[in-house]
Amino acid sequence: MSNQFFQNIQLSGGDSDDDLNWNGGTVLERAKPKLKKPPMYKVIMLNDDYTPMDFVVEVLCNFFRLDPESATRVMLKVHTEGSAVCGVYTRDIAETKAAQVNQFSQDNEHPLWCEIEPDDEGEGEDN
Ligand code: TYC
């Protein structure tokens, strides 16, 4: 028997005469679950010279569920450093959030822009 929970370990018989009545056997050992964490993506917000600061804070509160204090901190980081991470998500969610922000900004005639990039942090630390 071998499945996702157990793996067979084959025990081979030795060559010595003492082993004549034993021709090997099987034991089951608990297998490591083969679960992989999904690759994660950062949503990165870019600075521009035109979008009003309170619009950026509103976006960070509404799309990234930040409280007003954290949203203000992230907005000021983007403003002073050029970009900042708004959140880290699976690929689908990161793409959706970036697209929603970019559409909402365009609808409101602001050049505010988000993009996504792979998050290398924590890679290869499954199980
Ligand atoms: N730099 C903008 C201003 O001075 C504010 C701003 C902050 C714009 C963050 C975009 O992602 C941004 N009004």
Side-chain angles (χ1 to χ4, degrees):
M1 180 185 67
S2 210
N3 58 32
Q4 69 264 48
F5 303 116
F6 293 100
Q7 63 192 7
N8 290 343
I9 306 293
Q10 293 294 341
L11 304 174
S12 56
D15 289 336
S16 84
D17 288 348
D18 302 344
D19 291 329
L20 280 178
N21 292 327
W22 188 74
N23 64 353
T26 299
V27 295
L28 292 176
E29 137 180 300
R30 199 170 291 279
K32 266 193 169 180
K34 292 189 176 61
L35 299 176
K36 256 192 167 303
K37 285 186 194 159
M40 302 299 278
Y41 287 76
K42 298 183 275 198
V43 178
I44 298 181
M45 181 172 276
L46 304 177
N47 190 33
D48 65 71
D49 291 338
Y50 307 103
T51 307
M53 290 183 173
D54 57 357
F55 181 85
V56 179
V57 171
E58 184 192 334
V59 163
L60 289 165
C61 289
N62 292 342
F63 290 96
F64 299 98
R65 299 271 137 231
L66 297 185
D67 58 77
E69 213 176 288
S70 309
T72 303
R73 205 177 322 115
V74 173
M75 182 278 294
L76 286 173
K77 186 174 167 72
V78 178
H79 178 68
T80 56
E81 297 178 21
S83 67
V85 176
C86 311
V88 180
Y89 308 95
T90 56
R91 186 175 183 154
D92 275 6
I93 295 175
E95 277 173 350
T96 300
K97 292 214 183 255
Q100 286 172 335
V101 169
N102 296 342
Q103 187 62 56
F104 183 68
S105 302
Q106 198 184 92
D107 292 347
N108 287 276
E109 299 178 334
H110 297 307
L112 179 62
W113 191 257
C114 282
E115 55 191 31
I116 74 168
E117 93 178 25
D119 180 34
D120 301 332
E121 207 103 320
E123 219 175 60
E125 283 180 11
D126 295 337
N127 292 315

